[in-house]
Every structure is written in C-alpha cells, then in structure tokens.
Amino acid sequence: DTAVSQTPKYLVTQMGNDKSIKCEQNLGHDTMYWYKQDSKKFLKIMFSYNNKELIINETVPNRFSPKSPDKAHLNLHINSLELGDSAVYFCASSQEGIGQPQHFGDGTRLSIL
Amino acid sequence: AQTVTQSQPEMSVQEAETVTLSCTYDTSESDYYLFWYKQPPSRQMILVIRQEAYKQQNATENRFSVNFQKAAKSFSLKISDSQLGDAAMYFCAYRRGGGGADGLTFGKGTHLIIQP
C-alpha cells in the first residue's frame, strides 16, 4: 500500500492550459504539503494544510490553488500554465506533533511545452 | 528566516568506505528538528535520519549517523561502509519546533557518487 500517492506521475501540457495534480495519503496524518523541486533540484515549500485548513501559503502565484476536500486529500490546481512552472511537484504528509517527519509522494513531473 | 547550506554539490567515495556530507544551518530558534533525506534517481524522497535539537546524543540508523554540533549549527551525515545503493542526492532539512504545520527548509543537496 502506497502511503502518499500522487497522480499523475508525468504531465506534459501546453502553455496556457489548466491542470490538476491529485494527492492522497492513507497514513491518517493531519497535515499535508506541496513542494516544488526546480530543475536544479532545489525543493521549496508551497503550501501546507492542517485538517483541511490552509496554514502556509508561501510566495506562490495565485494561479496555484490547493484544495483539500478532506484531510486525506490535497490537490493542486494550476491555471494558465507558464514555462516556468515546469518542475517536479511533491506532495507530503505528517502527523501533527513535535518533530514528526514528513512522508513524501513519488512526485509529479510537469513539463510545459 | 531559516537557511540551510550544503557546501558540497558533489561527493565521490569508493564502495565500502566512509563518507561525510556537510550541512550548516542558520536559525534564531532554540527548538527545532533536522533531517537528512535521500533522493535516488527514482525521484522518491526517503527519510534517512532525524535529530531533535534538544537531544545531545547524535542520532544513528544502521550505517548512517550524524554529528550534530548545536553551537556551531552544524549537522553532518556520515555514511559508513558505502554501498552502491547509497548513490543519490542527499538533502539536509530544517523544521522549526513547536508542532504545527511548518514546511521543511531544504539545502541545495549533495550528489553522492559511489565508485565500485
């Protein structure tokens, strides 16, 4: 059983399109996150949700909108895709509590043509 | 803001030897957590080891151990008896203490090459 699963694993699309990436965790965790890994492998937090509420929203264009229908799911919707959005997007989850590690999904590689 | 610095973009080690990856961080917090994650070519992010800042004892996990120097804000990872499967990007990460939903702050990573 995959603990944190993302779909799709690969996404190739044209500039200007709208796309979504889905994330589900079956670990019973309270908190979920989205990270972006750029072409130089640098990872940066984008959003975090705790029990369906947005906690962190780093400096991310408002074309990116996370949606959490329940605490096991955190989807990422991206409008009007731009070339600079090409990256690997990782979903992660952790149990609320001091110092609990984050468990990552396998990532979604988004390529904008 | 917290920053994490990994000064070695790439390291190479012979199989079965020991290698140490460096990490320094900057924070004004006294309560925090440090992690090492491994990212093999498969792209997965795998937790290698975790250290609580309030613990003086260095964490160990089998062949992996850390040298945590709180005053120097240093958190290096030692891999003993290196194996081919250890080849990967290694990321050092920081998280503020106190619970909550803080994200991890990552360093830029070190690419570890294992030579047979």
Side-chain angles (χ1 to χ4, degrees), chain B residues 40-107:
Chain B
S42 64
R43 203 171 71 200
Q44 292 174 297
M45 290 290 291
I46 302 164
L47 177 67
V48 175
I49 202 162
R50 172 176 78 154
Q51 175 79 43
E52 294 89 340
Y54 62 84
K55 286 189 177 177
Q56 292 186 334
Q57 188 172 6
N58 289 324
T60 63
E61 287 286 343
N62 301 314
R63 298 182 295 107
F64 298 87
S65 61
V66 298
N67 183 2
F68 173 49
Q69 301 289 328
K70 191 172 184 178
K73 295 181 181 173
S74 171
F75 182 61
S76 59
L77 175 70
K78 185 171 88 170
I79 306 173
S80 303
D81 185 26
S82 299
Q83 299 176 0
L84 293 177
D86 295 333
M89 284 290 290
Y90 285 81
F91 293 96
C92 179
Y94 165 100
R95 185 181 186 275
R96 190 169 57 105
D102 282 16
L104 295 168
T105 300
F106 285 92

